[in-house]
């Protein structure tokens, strides 16, 4: 039985390798994902990553795709909105 290319890419950290994989990584970084996107996260975003990784068991969050970064930003925006609705004050963690 042979491994599918998706199985091999999963074992390699989700990267498909070669020039096409490298191109995909560049596009992902330009869209706000990867290590560059992780560096731009605020404390709330990092806390969301920690909960996803350690509580929900969604795996390592240190090199998320642009869509993963976008999802985390939507979650943090929701938390900020609800905090302000309930308390009447801005969340003390500044948004980056």
């Amino acid at each position: 039985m042979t491994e599918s290319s998706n199985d091999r890419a999963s074992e390699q950290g989700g990267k498909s390798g070669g020039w096409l994989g490298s191109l995909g990584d560049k596009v992902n970084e330009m869209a706000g994902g990867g290590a560059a996107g992780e560096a731009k996260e605020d404390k709330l975003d990092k806390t969301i990553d920690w909960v996803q990784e350690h509580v929900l068991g969604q795996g390592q969050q240190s090199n998320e795709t642009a869509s993963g970064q976008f999802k985390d930003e939507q979650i943090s925006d929701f938390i900020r909105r609800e905090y302000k609705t309930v308390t009447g004050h801005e969340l003390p963690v500044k948004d980056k």
Side-chain angles (χ1 to χ4, degrees):
M1 183 172 191
T2 63
E3 287 183 75
S4 72
S5 61
N6 287 340
D7 291 339
R8 286 190 301 271
S10 294
E11 291 172 1
Q12 296 172 0
K15 296 183 182 178
S16 57
W19 72 270
L20 189 57
S22 183
L23 177 64
D25 292 342
K26 294 291 183 194
V27 170
N28 183 44
E29 285 182 15
M30 288 188 329
E38 293 292 327
K40 297 177 184 172
E41 287 186 331
D42 59 36
K43 289 189 185 282
L44 182 57
D45 293 329
K46 291 185 185 302
T47 301
I48 291 167
D49 283 344
W50 186 90
V51 169
Q52 290 172 335
E53 185 173 341
H54 295 95
V55 177
L56 301 177
Q58 293 181 353
Q60 186 177 7
Q61 303 289 311
S62 65
N63 195 16
E64 290 180 300
T65 62
S67 63
Q69 292 281 339
F70 179 75
K71 177 190 63 158
D72 290 352
E73 188 61 32
Q74 295 298 308
I75 293 169
S76 69
D77 289 347
F78 172 79
I79 291 170
R80 288 177 197 286
R81 262 192 326 272
E82 293 303 308
Y83 182 87
K84 186 170 184 176
T85 300
V86 171
T87 66
H89 301 289
E90 295 288 331
L91 191 69
V93 178
K94 298 292 181 202
D95 197 6
K96 277 191 174 180

